[in-house]
Amino acid sequence: MDTSSPVIFLSGAGGGAIDLEVFRDGVNDMTRFETVGYPGWRRYVADDVSAEALIADLAAQIVAKVPRGPIRIVGLSIGGHFGYAIGLHLQAMGREIAGLCAIDSFMIASSAPSAGWKRRALEQGFELLRKRRIGEFARFLRSKFWRALVRLAGGRLSGLLQRFSSSSRQSSVSTFDPVFEEELSMRLLVREVAPWIGSLDREPVALKTPAILLRTELTAGDDAAWLRRCPNMKIVEIPGQHHSLFEPENIDSLHKAFVIATRDWREVQ
């Protein structure tokens, strides 16, 4: 196994760290996984930001981490869409994409709340209470509160943030509440790239690489769109919901599905 060449991990829109050990095939698996991060809200409110520029920036980071040889990408949620677009970008540059794994990357075309979001939020909140995870429940409430305020600001948000980011007070955002900064970065990222993600499927370009989609039952309706992007894609259903994939009751199934589905291209020399 080529342990000198890492598998690239692209997170969901909220960023945040997950335990990448879930992707290893046991203690003897020496595969390295490295996360490529997103720039954050200050970049998203810049005048020259665009989805295409973001993809070019992420691709450049990946090339720096994997300067030669095949490139392998794992993308969670919105990271799966980025992985597909980056794969096309790098193939056009002559790089080999040895594999793409998208994890529950459902299709989006708008930053508006998706149908049924209130029910899902209530279920998630009650689940945290039922499991007596009070600290996580408090964080969940803060997250939803800040998300509502960000959405309420609407089109005025970018202008407000541009003025704020140019002031000496910009570092106070994360000091004030790190959850607020996370929500701000996530909502601005989704708002910026959602229409672009939708445009990818108007005339999808086939990514010629081994590809896997690990997805929950709720996102099964997006299988056809993914197969138009990646004609050779293998689709595997995994248990849980989008927010609970890495919960103790689901993580073993995710681990097994990933290891089995990606074994061939993870071990490319």
mmCIF file with all atom_site columns, all heavy atoms in Angstrom, residues 48-71:
data_model
loop_
_atom_site.group_PDB
_atom_site.id
_atom_site.type_symbol
_atom_site.label_atom_id
_atom_site.label_alt_id
_atom_site.label_comp_id
_atom_site.label_asym_id
_atom_site.label_entity_id
_atom_site.label_seq_id
_atom_site.pdbx_PDB_ins_code
_atom_site.Cartn_x
_atom_site.Cartn_y
_atom_site.Cartn_z
_atom_site.occupancy
_atom_site.B_iso_or_equiv
_atom_site.pdbx_formal_charge
_atom_site.auth_seq_id
_atom_site.auth_comp_id
_atom_site.auth_asym_id
_atom_site.auth_atom_id
_atom_site.pdbx_PDB_model_num
ATOM 1   N N   . ASP A 1 48 ? -14.623 38.557 -4.918  1.00 0.00 ? 48 ASP A N   1
ATOM 2   C CA  . ASP A 1 48 ? -14.231 37.698 -6.023  1.00 0.00 ? 48 ASP A CA  1
ATOM 3   C C   . ASP A 1 48 ? -14.504 36.221 -5.783  1.00 0.00 ? 48 ASP A C   1
ATOM 4   O O   . ASP A 1 48 ? -14.034 35.366 -6.525  1.00 0.00 ? 48 ASP A O   1
ATOM 5   C CB  . ASP A 1 48 ? -12.740 37.884 -6.329  1.00 0.00 ? 48 ASP A CB  1
ATOM 6   C CG  . ASP A 1 48 ? -11.859 37.515 -5.126  1.00 0.00 ? 48 ASP A CG  1
ATOM 7   O OD1 . ASP A 1 48 ? -12.402 37.416 -4.011  1.00 0.00 ? 48 ASP A OD1 1
ATOM 8   O OD2 . ASP A 1 48 ? -10.631 37.344 -5.310  1.00 0.00 ? 48 ASP A OD2 1
ATOM 9   N N   . VAL A 1 49 ? -15.262 35.892 -4.754  1.00 0.00 ? 49 VAL A N   1
ATOM 10  C CA  . VAL A 1 49 ? -15.503 34.488 -4.449  1.00 0.00 ? 49 VAL A CA  1
ATOM 11  C C   . VAL A 1 49 ? -16.502 33.905 -5.446  1.00 0.00 ? 49 VAL A C   1
ATOM 12  O O   . VAL A 1 49 ? -17.408 34.578 -5.915  1.00 0.00 ? 49 VAL A O   1
ATOM 13  C CB  . VAL A 1 49 ? -16.021 34.315 -3.008  1.00 0.00 ? 49 VAL A CB  1
ATOM 14  C CG1 . VAL A 1 49 ? -17.457 34.804 -2.866  1.00 0.00 ? 49 VAL A CG1 1
ATOM 15  C CG2 . VAL A 1 49 ? -15.926 32.851 -2.583  1.00 0.00 ? 49 VAL A CG2 1
ATOM 16  N N   . SER A 1 50 ? -16.305 32.647 -5.800  1.00 0.00 ? 50 SER A N   1
ATOM 17  C CA  . SER A 1 50 ? -17.233 31.920 -6.650  1.00 0.00 ? 50 SER A CA  1
ATOM 18  C C   . SER A 1 50 ? -17.017 30.442 -6.388  1.00 0.00 ? 50 SER A C   1
ATOM 19  O O   . SER A 1 50 ? -15.973 30.034 -5.858  1.00 0.00 ? 50 SER A O   1
ATOM 20  C CB  . SER A 1 50 ? -17.001 32.223 -8.134  1.00 0.00 ? 50 SER A CB  1
ATOM 21  O OG  . SER A 1 50 ? -15.750 31.700 -8.562  1.00 0.00 ? 50 SER A OG  1
ATOM 22  N N   . ALA A 1 51 ? -17.993 29.625 -6.761  1.00 0.00 ? 51 ALA A N   1
ATOM 23  C CA  . ALA A 1 51 ? -17.845 28.192 -6.578  1.00 0.00 ? 51 ALA A CA  1
ATOM 24  C C   . ALA A 1 51 ? -16.661 27.667 -7.395  1.00 0.00 ? 51 ALA A C   1
ATOM 25  O O   . ALA A 1 51 ? -15.900 26.814 -6.924  1.00 0.00 ? 51 ALA A O   1
ATOM 26  C CB  . ALA A 1 51 ? -19.131 27.482 -6.982  1.00 0.00 ? 51 ALA A CB  1
ATOM 27  N N   . GLU A 1 52 ? -16.502 28.188 -8.604  1.00 0.00 ? 52 GLU A N   1
ATOM 28  C CA  . GLU A 1 52 ? -15.396 27.740 -9.451  1.00 0.00 ? 52 GLU A CA  1
ATOM 29  C C   . GLU A 1 52 ? -14.039 28.076 -8.833  1.00 0.00 ? 52 GLU A C   1
ATOM 30  O O   . GLU A 1 52 ? -13.103 27.273 -8.884  1.00 0.00 ? 52 GLU A O   1
ATOM 31  C CB  . GLU A 1 52 ? -15.509 28.365 -10.839 1.00 0.00 ? 52 GLU A CB  1
ATOM 32  C CG  . GLU A 1 52 ? -16.685 27.865 -11.668 1.00 0.00 ? 52 GLU A CG  1
ATOM 33  C CD  . GLU A 1 52 ? -18.007 28.507 -11.283 1.00 0.00 ? 52 GLU A CD  1
ATOM 34  O OE1 . GLU A 1 52 ? -18.003 29.427 -10.423 1.00 0.00 ? 52 GLU A OE1 1
ATOM 35  O OE2 . GLU A 1 52 ? -19.053 28.114 -11.835 1.00 0.00 ? 52 GLU A OE2 1
ATOM 36  N N   . ALA A 1 53 ? -13.939 29.278 -8.250  1.00 0.00 ? 53 ALA A N   1
ATOM 37  C CA  . ALA A 1 53 ? -12.687 29.667 -7.597  1.00 0.00 ? 53 ALA A CA  1
ATOM 38  C C   . ALA A 1 53 ? -12.419 28.787 -6.381  1.00 0.00 ? 53 ALA A C   1
ATOM 39  O O   . ALA A 1 53 ? -11.265 28.415 -6.106  1.00 0.00 ? 53 ALA A O   1
ATOM 40  C CB  . ALA A 1 53 ? -12.741 31.136 -7.190  1.00 0.00 ? 53 ALA A CB  1
ATOM 41  N N   . LEU A 1 54 ? -13.476 28.445 -5.637  1.00 0.00 ? 54 LEU A N   1
ATOM 42  C CA  . LEU A 1 54 ? -13.317 27.566 -4.479  1.00 0.00 ? 54 LEU A CA  1
ATOM 43  C C   . LEU A 1 54 ? -12.815 26.199 -4.906  1.00 0.00 ? 54 LEU A C   1
ATOM 44  O O   . LEU A 1 54 ? -11.902 25.633 -4.273  1.00 0.00 ? 54 LEU A O   1
ATOM 45  C CB  . LEU A 1 54 ? -14.650 27.441 -3.745  1.00 0.00 ? 54 LEU A CB  1
ATOM 46  C CG  . LEU A 1 54 ? -14.682 26.479 -2.554  1.00 0.00 ? 54 LEU A CG  1
ATOM 47  C CD1 . LEU A 1 54 ? -13.714 26.927 -1.468  1.00 0.00 ? 54 LEU A CD1 1
ATOM 48  C CD2 . LEU A 1 54 ? -16.095 26.365 -1.991  1.00 0.00 ? 54 LEU A CD2 1
ATOM 49  N N   . ILE A 1 55 ? -13.378 25.647 -5.979  1.00 0.00 ? 55 ILE A N   1
ATOM 50  C CA  . ILE A 1 55 ? -12.934 24.341 -6.475  1.00 0.00 ? 55 ILE A CA  1
ATOM 51  C C   . ILE A 1 55 ? -11.470 24.390 -6.891  1.00 0.00 ? 55 ILE A C   1
ATOM 52  O O   . ILE A 1 55 ? -10.683 23.480 -6.599  1.00 0.00 ? 55 ILE A O   1
ATOM 53  C CB  . ILE A 1 55 ? -13.820 23.883 -7.648  1.00 0.00 ? 55 ILE A CB  1
ATOM 54  C CG1 . ILE A 1 55 ? -15.234 23.569 -7.148  1.00 0.00 ? 55 ILE A CG1 1
ATOM 55  C CG2 . ILE A 1 55 ? -13.227 22.659 -8.330  1.00 0.00 ? 55 ILE A CG2 1
ATOM 56  C CD1 . ILE A 1 55 ? -15.315 22.507 -6.083  1.00 0.00 ? 55 ILE A CD1 1
ATOM 57  N N   . ALA A 1 56 ? -11.070 25.462 -7.568  1.00 0.00 ? 56 ALA A N   1
ATOM 58  C CA  . ALA A 1 56 ? -9.673  25.606 -7.980  1.00 0.00 ? 56 ALA A CA  1
ATOM 59  C C   . ALA A 1 56 ? -8.757  25.677 -6.765  1.00 0.00 ? 56 ALA A C   1
ATOM 60  O O   . ALA A 1 56 ? -7.665  25.073 -6.753  1.00 0.00 ? 56 ALA A O   1
ATOM 61  C CB  . ALA A 1 56 ? -9.508  26.846 -8.855  1.00 0.00 ? 56 ALA A CB  1
ATOM 62  N N   . ASP A 1 57 ? -9.185  26.392 -5.721  1.00 0.00 ? 57 ASP A N   1
ATOM 63  C CA  . ASP A 1 57 ? -8.374  26.492 -4.500  1.00 0.00 ? 57 ASP A CA  1
ATOM 64  C C   . ASP A 1 57 ? -8.235  25.136 -3.817  1.00 0.00 ? 57 ASP A C   1
ATOM 65  O O   . ASP A 1 57 ? -7.143  24.751 -3.378  1.00 0.00 ? 57 ASP A O   1
ATOM 66  C CB  . ASP A 1 57 ? -9.010  27.493 -3.535  1.00 0.00 ? 57 ASP A CB  1
ATOM 67  C CG  . ASP A 1 57 ? -8.856  28.934 -4.004  1.00 0.00 ? 57 ASP A CG  1
ATOM 68  O OD1 . ASP A 1 57 ? -8.067  29.169 -4.930  1.00 0.00 ? 57 ASP A OD1 1
ATOM 69  O OD2 . ASP A 1 57 ? -9.541  29.812 -3.432  1.00 0.00 ? 57 ASP A OD2 1
ATOM 70  N N   . LEU A 1 58 ? -9.351  24.403 -3.710  1.00 0.00 ? 58 LEU A N   1
ATOM 71  C CA  . LEU A 1 58 ? -9.312  23.091 -3.067  1.00 0.00 ? 58 LEU A CA  1
ATOM 72  C C   . LEU A 1 58 ? -8.460  22.119 -3.876  1.00 0.00 ? 58 LEU A C   1
ATOM 73  O O   . LEU A 1 58 ? -7.698  21.322 -3.308  1.00 0.00 ? 58 LEU A O   1
ATOM 74  C CB  . LEU A 1 58 ? -10.734 22.543 -2.902  1.00 0.00 ? 58 LEU A CB  1
ATOM 75  C CG  . LEU A 1 58 ? -11.649 23.326 -1.951  1.00 0.00 ? 58 LEU A CG  1
ATOM 76  C CD1 . LEU A 1 58 ? -13.062 22.760 -1.982  1.00 0.00 ? 58 LEU A CD1 1
ATOM 77  C CD2 . LEU A 1 58 ? -11.105 23.311 -0.532  1.00 0.00 ? 58 LEU A CD2 1
ATOM 78  N N   . ALA A 1 59 ? -8.585  22.184 -5.205  1.00 0.00 ? 59 ALA A N   1
ATOM 79  C CA  . ALA A 1 59 ? -7.773  21.314 -6.058  1.00 0.00 ? 59 ALA A CA  1
ATOM 80  C C   . ALA A 1 59 ? -6.289  21.599 -5.863  1.00 0.00 ? 59 ALA A C   1
ATOM 81  O O   . ALA A 1 59 ? -5.456  20.676 -5.830  1.00 0.00 ? 59 ALA A O   1
ATOM 82  C CB  . ALA A 1 59 ? -8.167  21.499 -7.520  1.00 0.00 ? 59 ALA A CB  1
ATOM 83  N N   . ALA A 1 60 ? -5.943  22.876 -5.729  1.00 0.00 ? 60 ALA A N   1
ATOM 84  C CA  . ALA A 1 60 ? -4.540  23.240 -5.519  1.00 0.00 ? 60 ALA A CA  1
ATOM 85  C C   . ALA A 1 60 ? -4.026  22.683 -4.189  1.00 0.00 ? 60 ALA A C   1
ATOM 86  O O   . ALA A 1 60 ? -2.874  22.224 -4.100  1.00 0.00 ? 60 ALA A O   1
ATOM 87  C CB  . ALA A 1 60 ? -4.385  24.757 -5.563  1.00 0.00 ? 60 ALA A CB  1
ATOM 88  N N   . GLN A 1 61 ? -4.861  22.720 -3.155  1.00 0.00 ? 61 GLN A N   1
ATOM 89  C CA  . GLN A 1 61 ? -4.463  22.141 -1.867  1.00 0.00 ? 61 GLN A CA  1
ATOM 90  C C   . GLN A 1 61 ? -4.215  20.641 -1.993  1.00 0.00 ? 61 GLN A C   1
ATOM 91  O O   . GLN A 1 61 ? -3.282  20.100 -1.400  1.00 0.00 ? 61 GLN A O   1
ATOM 92  C CB  . GLN A 1 61 ? -5.546  22.396 -0.822  1.00 0.00 ? 61 GLN A CB  1
ATOM 93  C CG  . GLN A 1 61 ? -5.695  23.833 -0.382  1.00 0.00 ? 61 GLN A CG  1
ATOM 94  C CD  . GLN A 1 61 ? -6.701  23.966 0.752   1.00 0.00 ? 61 GLN A CD  1
ATOM 95  O OE1 . GLN A 1 61 ? -6.563  23.321 1.799   1.00 0.00 ? 61 GLN A OE1 1
ATOM 96  N NE2 . GLN A 1 61 ? -7.718  24.784 0.551   1.00 0.00 ? 61 GLN A NE2 1
ATOM 97  N N   . ILE A 1 62 ? -5.077  19.972 -2.773  1.00 0.00 ? 62 ILE A N   1
ATOM 98  C CA  . ILE A 1 62 ? -4.926  18.526 -2.943  1.00 0.00 ? 62 ILE A CA  1
ATOM 99  C C   . ILE A 1 62 ? -3.652  18.205 -3.704  1.00 0.00 ? 62 ILE A C   1
ATOM 100 O O   . ILE A 1 62 ? -2.905  17.278 -3.345  1.00 0.00 ? 62 ILE A O   1
ATOM 101 C CB  . ILE A 1 62 ? -6.170  17.954 -3.663  1.00 0.00 ? 62 ILE A CB  1
ATOM 102 C CG1 . ILE A 1 62 ? -7.387  18.047 -2.735  1.00 0.00 ? 62 ILE A CG1 1
ATOM 103 C CG2 . ILE A 1 62 ? -5.931  16.508 -4.081  1.00 0.00 ? 62 ILE A CG2 1
ATOM 104 C CD1 . ILE A 1 62 ? -8.689  17.649 -3.390  1.00 0.00 ? 62 ILE A CD1 1
ATOM 105 N N   . VAL A 1 63 ? -3.372  18.962 -4.743  1.00 0.00 ? 63 VAL A N   1
ATOM 106 C CA  . VAL A 1 63 ? -2.144  18.745 -5.517  1.00 0.00 ? 63 VAL A CA  1
ATOM 107 C C   . VAL A 1 63 ? -0.916  18.938 -4.626  1.00 0.00 ? 63 VAL A C   1
ATOM 108 O O   . VAL A 1 63 ? 0.081   18.216 -4.746  1.00 0.00 ? 63 VAL A O   1
ATOM 109 C CB  . VAL A 1 63 ? -2.092  19.691 -6.731  1.00 0.00 ? 63 VAL A CB  1
ATOM 110 C CG1 . VAL A 1 63 ? -0.716  19.686 -7.379  1.00 0.00 ? 63 VAL A CG1 1
ATOM 111 C CG2 . VAL A 1 63 ? -3.154  19.293 -7.748  1.00 0.00 ? 63 VAL A CG2 1
ATOM 112 N N   . ALA A 1 64 ? -0.979  19.901 -3.705  1.00 0.00 ? 64 ALA A N   1
ATOM 113 C CA  . ALA A 1 64 ? 0.136   20.116 -2.788  1.00 0.00 ? 64 ALA A CA  1
ATOM 114 C C   . ALA A 1 64 ? 0.337   18.917 -1.870  1.00 0.00 ? 64 ALA A C   1
ATOM 115 O O   . ALA A 1 64 ? 1.468   18.577 -1.505  1.00 0.00 ? 64 ALA A O   1
ATOM 116 C CB  . ALA A 1 64 ? -0.098  21.386 -1.970  1.00 0.00 ? 64 ALA A CB  1
ATOM 117 N N   . LYS A 1 65 ? -0.753  18.262 -1.489  1.00 0.00 ? 65 LYS A N   1
ATOM 118 C CA  . LYS A 1 65 ? -0.665  17.099 -0.609  1.00 0.00 ? 65 LYS A CA  1
ATOM 119 C C   . LYS A 1 65 ? -0.309  15.828 -1.386  1.00 0.00 ? 65 LYS A C   1
ATOM 120 O O   . LYS A 1 65 ? 0.314   14.915 -0.836  1.00 0.00 ? 65 LYS A O   1
ATOM 121 C CB  . LYS A 1 65 ? -1.987  16.901 0.135   1.00 0.00 ? 65 LYS A CB  1
ATOM 122 C CG  . LYS A 1 65 ? -2.295  17.984 1.161   1.00 0.00 ? 65 LYS A CG  1
ATOM 123 C CD  . LYS A 1 65 ? -3.637  17.736 1.832   1.00 0.00 ? 65 LYS A CD  1
ATOM 124 C CE  . LYS A 1 65 ? -3.953  18.804 2.878   1.00 0.00 ? 65 LYS A CE  1
ATOM 125 N NZ  . LYS A 1 65 ? -3.047  18.729 4.045   1.00 0.00 ? 65 LYS A NZ  1
ATOM 126 N N   . VAL A 1 66 ? -0.759  15.764 -2.640  1.00 0.00 ? 66 VAL A N   1
ATOM 127 C CA  . VAL A 1 66 ? -0.474  14.599 -3.498  1.00 0.00 ? 66 VAL A CA  1
ATOM 128 C C   . VAL A 1 66 ? 0.148   15.119 -4.789  1.00 0.00 ? 66 VAL A C   1
ATOM 129 O O   . VAL A 1 66 ? -0.524  15.226 -5.813  1.00 0.00 ? 66 VAL A O   1
ATOM 130 C CB  . VAL A 1 66 ? -1.750  13.796 -3.796  1.00 0.00 ? 66 VAL A CB  1
ATOM 131 C CG1 . VAL A 1 66 ? -1.405  12.457 -4.453  1.00 0.00 ? 66 VAL A CG1 1
ATOM 132 C CG2 . VAL A 1 66 ? -2.569  13.557 -2.536  1.00 0.00 ? 66 VAL A CG2 1
ATOM 133 N N   . PRO A 1 67 ? 1.430   15.484 -4.767  1.00 0.00 ? 67 PRO A N   1
ATOM 134 C CA  . PRO A 1 67 ? 2.043   16.132 -5.940  1.00 0.00 ? 67 PRO A CA  1
ATOM 135 C C   . PRO A 1 67 ? 2.213   15.211 -7.132  1.00 0.00 ? 67 PRO A C   1
ATOM 136 O O   . PRO A 1 67 ? 2.388   15.681 -8.254  1.00 0.00 ? 67 PRO A O   1
ATOM 137 C CB  . PRO A 1 67 ? 3.395   16.602 -5.401  1.00 0.00 ? 67 PRO A CB  1
ATOM 138 C CG  . PRO A 1 67 ? 3.671   15.729 -4.226  1.00 0.00 ? 67 PRO A CG  1
ATOM 139 C CD  . PRO A 1 67 ? 2.348   15.415 -3.619  1.00 0.00 ? 67 PRO A CD  1
ATOM 140 N N   . ARG A 1 68 ? 2.163   13.899 -6.921  1.00 0.00 ? 68 ARG A N   1
ATOM 141 C CA  . ARG A 1 68 ? 2.322   12.957 -8.032  1.00 0.00 ? 68 ARG A CA  1
ATOM 142 C C   . ARG A 1 68 ? 1.536   11.696 -7.724  1.00 0.00 ? 68 ARG A C   1
ATOM 143 O O   . ARG A 1 68 ? 1.200   11.406 -6.565  1.00 0.00 ? 68 ARG A O   1
ATOM 144 C CB  . ARG A 1 68 ? 3.798   12.629 -8.266  1.00 0.00 ? 68 ARG A CB  1
ATOM 145 C CG  . ARG A 1 68 ? 4.476   11.928 -7.107  1.00 0.00 ? 68 ARG A CG  1
ATOM 146 C CD  . ARG A 1 68 ? 5.972   11.786 -7.305  1.00 0.00 ? 68 ARG A CD  1
ATOM 147 N NE  . ARG A 1 68 ? 6.585   13.106 -7.343  1.00 0.00 ? 68 ARG A NE  1
ATOM 148 C CZ  . ARG A 1 68 ? 6.931   13.787 -6.255  1.00 0.00 ? 68 ARG A CZ  1
ATOM 149 N NH1 . ARG A 1 68 ? 6.700   13.271 -5.048  1.00 0.00 ? 68 ARG A NH1 1
ATOM 150 N NH2 . ARG A 1 68 ? 7.484   14.974 -6.345  1.00 0.00 ? 68 ARG A NH2 1
ATOM 151 N N   . GLY A 1 69 ? 1.251   10.934 -8.767  1.00 0.00 ? 69 GLY A N   1
ATOM 152 C CA  . GLY A 1 69 ? 0.554   9.668  -8.584  1.00 0.00 ? 69 GLY A CA  1
ATOM 153 C C   . GLY A 1 69 ? -0.952  9.830  -8.507  1.00 0.00 ? 69 GLY A C   1
ATOM 154 O O   . GLY A 1 69 ? -1.497  10.934 -8.632  1.00 0.00 ? 69 GLY A O   1
ATOM 155 N N   . PRO A 1 70 ? -1.658  8.732  -8.287  1.00 0.00 ? 70 PRO A N   1
ATOM 156 C CA  . PRO A 1 70 ? -3.123  8.753  -8.260  1.00 0.00 ? 70 PRO A CA  1
ATOM 157 C C   . PRO A 1 70 ? -3.663  9.505  -7.043  1.00 0.00 ? 70 PRO A C   1
ATOM 158 O O   . PRO A 1 70 ? -3.035  9.545  -5.987  1.00 0.00 ? 70 PRO A O   1
ATOM 159 C CB  . PRO A 1 70 ? -3.502  7.274  -8.206  1.00 0.00 ? 70 PRO A CB  1
ATOM 160 C CG  . PRO A 1 70 ? -2.301  6.596  -7.606  1.00 0.00 ? 70 PRO A CG  1
ATOM 161 C CD  . PRO A 1 70 ? -1.113  7.373  -8.076  1.00 0.00 ? 70 PRO A CD  1
ATOM 162 N N   . ILE A 1 71 ? -4.840  10.087 -7.227  1.00 0.00 ? 71 ILE A N   1
ATOM 163 C CA  . ILE A 1 71 ? -5.504  10.852 -6.169  1.00 0.00 ? 71 ILE A CA  1
ATOM 164 C C   . ILE A 1 71 ? -6.795  10.142 -5.792  1.00 0.00 ? 71 ILE A C   1
ATOM 165 O O   . ILE A 1 71 ? -7.581  9.747  -6.652  1.00 0.00 ? 71 ILE A O   1
ATOM 166 C CB  . ILE A 1 71 ? -5.798  12.289 -6.629  1.00 0.00 ? 71 ILE A CB  1
ATOM 167 C CG1 . ILE A 1 71 ? -4.483  13.037 -6.890  1.00 0.00 ? 71 ILE A CG1 1
ATOM 168 C CG2 . ILE A 1 71 ? -6.642  13.042 -5.606  1.00 0.00 ? 71 ILE A CG2 1
ATOM 169 C CD1 . ILE A 1 71 ? -4.661  14.406 -7.511  1.00 0.00 ? 71 ILE A CD1 1
#
